[in-house]
Amino acid sequence: SAVISQKPSRDICQRGTSLTIQCQVDSQVTMMFWYRQQPGQSLTLIATANQGSEATYESGFVIDKFPISRPNLTFSTLTVSNMSPEDSSIYLCSVEGRENTGELFFGEGSRLTVL
Amino acid sequence: GENVEQHPSTLSVQEGDSAVIKCTYSDSASNYFPWYKQELGKGPQLIIDIRSNVGEKKDQRIAVTLNKTAKHFSLHITETQPEDSAVYFCAASTGTGNQFYFGTGTSLTVIP
């Protein structure tokens, strides 16, 4: 399985500010995925990030609110912009473990609390 | 789109007993069904998975069964231990690169 490192692991943020979450993988991967897990809830896909192209966002998520970068095959960032208390969640980076297996592996998550 | 339902939402068992978590899915095109364990403060960890060409898969104390006709799959944990206490998520996917649809999670507590 891939080793996925996320930073920060947790943060407390003020309303109206923005925070960028970093995701580093120990191997080159084609697709990286960003998920949101609201308190006590399941996982919801925000977007899929491919290197060299714009991220693909799921319904209900927009680039202005969640801009994503994918500068190379081992790194991605997710920014949560103009945060409100409703953005308090765990944000998870994930990648496929082995090509064409469909297996999905997750980082430890970034727990954001917005005051 | 796919809809994955998971039951129960909470489950308490005595140490040594078995635990069963069930999921149903709606899209007959789904062919990959992983199970994740999420401990407090950590990301989900893949613990076992099953593909649609298999009816059952076992890994030590953990097993997963799949009934394609009824569109449901289950996680079975035998001889439960306190360290099995966590939130478990099922998921369904139609394949590589496609979206995973997650169940709502089951909080399992194993009572020593």
Side-chain angles (χ1 to χ4, degrees), chain B residues 47-66:
Chain B
I47 57 171
I48 196 168
D49 56 15
I50 192 167
R51 300 183 188 274
S52 59
N53 59 345
V54 175
E56 183 173 0
K57 184 176 179 181
K58 190 172 182 179
D59 182 4
Q60 299 182 336
R61 297 186 297 108
I62 296 173
V64 58
T65 58
L66 171 65

Side-chain angles (χ1 to χ4, degrees), chain A residues 31 35 37 41-43 45 58 92 96 100-108, chain B residues 32 36 38 41-44 46 49 51 89 95-97 99-100 102-104:
Chain A
M31 289 184 286
Y35 281 82
Q37 186 177 24
Q41 302 294 313
S42 188
L43 291 82
L45 181 64
E58 298 300 313
L92 294 152
E96 279 191 292
N100 301 319
T101 62
E103 298 169 346
L104 197 64
F105 294 94
F106 288 88
E108 292 294 294
Chain B
Y32 176 62
Y36 289 86
Q38 187 175 27
K42 296 190 175 182
L46 178 66
D49 56 15
R51 300 183 188 274
F89 291 96
T96 304
Q99 179 166 183
F100 282 64
F102 286 86
T104 48

Side-chain angles (χ1 to χ4, degrees), chain B residues 5-23:
Chain B
E5 295 189 356
Q6 183 172 346
H7 300 280
S9 57
T10 60
L11 179 60
S12 292
V13 299
Q14 292 289 331
E15 182 177 359
D17 288 350
S18 295
V20 180
I21 303 170
K22 299 182 179 181
C23 288

Side-chain angles (χ1 to χ4, degrees), chain B residues 13-19 77-82 84 110-112:
Chain B
V13 299
Q14 292 289 331
E15 182 177 359
D17 288 350
S18 295
I77 306 173
T78 59
E79 301 172 30
T80 53
Q81 301 168 3
D84 295 329
V110 180
I111 304 166

